[in-house]
Amino acid sequence: MITNWNKSEREGLLSFAPNYFAYLSNQTLIKPSLICKIFGFFTIKIKEKVLGSHKNDSNLIKLDLLLMENLFYGQTITRKFDLKGITSRVAKVKKDEKDGGTGWDADWIEGSLRTLLLIHPHSKHVISNAIENDTKFLSESNVMDYSLLVGVDDLRKELVVGMIDVIGTFNLAKMLESRGKMVLKSSDKKGEVTILPPIEYANRFKKAMETYFVAVPEKWSRPLEKESDQVVKNHHQEDPSLPSVF
């Protein structure tokens, strides 16, 4: 997959790249990660001949391109979603779009997909751990505005997930944009601002993703407890990673 990117994104990626490659080559050997792989970034120069000018006169067009893995390669994806953790995001997907379009958070929630597409408890555990690892790394690298791309393969009964747009550094322009939008938003809608400082963005993202994917109950699942009924238990007797029944 090739993506066109602007100058600020290029500069942000070049400063972020060493940490990114170190993280993927070292940490992911022992810890799960959902960050999509970047294969390279290139600048393509195209000479465009100017009509009516001298033979050697031409305009130079420069394109900065980012080459990433195709998350859906070999899959039969029928529905796609770009999730940022903002429950009010609505893409208004058009049914006549060639590839069906890409839904957003509200499309995922309102379509009841999070309850209809249950996942195995182990898969839920791996996704949660991967998001915890990745958001910690990205926030420490001053990166935000990333998304979780989800593809539904109805043929194989699979969900394909990966974190994309991990090159958005929180620079001065992003900070001003964030503060400006927060001023314009009412107090009860400040959480809907897309651009947030990296730590705040990561916390909102993790909290939302934890509710977006529901594990199918199994014999080891435990029901949710009321706060008044909670008691102190020996940590050897209860594994906190086991999913609750929703």
Side-chain angles (χ1 to χ4, degrees):
M1 183 172 64
I2 299 177
T3 303
N4 190 10
W5 43 319
N6 57 42
K7 182 179 179 180
S8 62
E9 290 174 329
R10 179 187 63 192
E11 293 175 349
L13 177 61
L14 291 177
S15 63
F16 166 66
N19 291 336
Y20 166 82
F21 289 115
Y23 176 76
L24 286 189
S25 61
N26 297 323
Q27 297 297 323
T28 56
L29 294 176
I30 55 176
K31 297 180 180 180
S33 173
L34 295 178
I35 295 179
C36 289
K37 298 178 180 63
I38 297 175
F39 294 138
F41 32 96
F42 310 90
T43 297
I44 298 178
K45 298 179 180 180
I46 304 173
K47 287 187 176 181
E48 182 182 39
K49 187 175 181 180
V50 179
L51 295 177
S53 62
H54 295 290
K55 185 176 181 180
N56 295 326
D57 289 345
S58 61
N59 291 330
L60 186 63
I61 301 175
K62 295 177 62 177
L63 293 175
D64 292 319
L65 300 177
L66 180 67
L67 181 62
M68 302 180 65
E69 70 171 313
N70 183 354
L71 188 63
F72 300 147
Y73 178 78
Q75 302 279 157
T76 305
I77 301 299
T78 54
R79 288 164 287 177
K80 294 181 296 184
F81 297 88
D82 181 293
L83 308 176
K84 286 183 177 291
I86 306 174
T87 56
S88 60
R89 291 177 73 233
V90 182
K92 297 181 180 179
V93 179
K94 298 180 181 179
K95 294 182 179 180
D96 57 349
E97 290 187 21
K98 185 176 180 180
D99 61 352
T102 301
W104 288 355
D105 300 64
D107 303 299
W108 173 267
I109 296 171
E110 293 176 4
S112 300
L113 292 179
R114 64 175 174 178
T115 53
L116 293 176
L117 300 176
L118 300 178
I119 61 178
H120 292 293
H122 173 70
S123 299
K124 165 87 173 186
H125 185 64
V126 172
I127 290 175
S128 297
N129 278 355
I131 290 176
E132 179 68 32
N133 297 334
D134 292 339
T135 53
K136 181 177 184 295
F137 162 69
L138 293 172
S139 61
E140 290 175 348
S141 301
N142 201 37
V143 173
M144 41 85 245
D145 201 23
Y146 40 83
S147 304
L148 187 72
L149 183 62
V150 180
V152 181
D153 188 332
D154 288 314
L155 185 62
R156 296 184 180 180
K157 306 298 181 183
E158 293 178 348
L159 288 182
V160 184
V161 299
M163 290 178 66
I164 60 172
D165 298 334
V166 295
I167 60 174
T169 54
F170 192 65
N171 52 27
L172 178 60
K174 294 291 186 181
M175 181 179 67
L176 294 176
E177 178 184 349
S178 174
R179 291 184 177 179
K181 289 184 177 180
M182 291 187 72
V183 169
L184 296 175
K185 291 282 187 180
S186 59
S187 59
D188 60 330
K189 292 187 177 182
K190 290 188 183 296
E192 298 177 3
V193 176
T194 302
I195 305 299
L196 289 175
I199 294 179
E200 294 180 35
Y201 190 94
N203 290 336
R204 180 181 66 186
F205 187 86
K206 288 187 296 183
K207 183 178 179 180
M209 296 307 133
E210 187 65 24
T211 64
Y212 283 5
F213 299 95
V214 180
V216 61
E218 59 171 14
K219 65 179 181 179
W220 301 111
S221 299
R222 56 185 173 82
L224 289 173
E225 295 179 340
K226 297 180 181 179
E227 291 186 7
S228 58
D229 297 334
Q230 290 181 348
V231 294
V232 178
K233 298 181 179 179
N234 189 307
H235 68 278
H236 294 295
Q237 297 176 341
E238 181 179 13
D239 183 355
S241 65
L242 291 176
S244 300
V245 178
F246 288 81

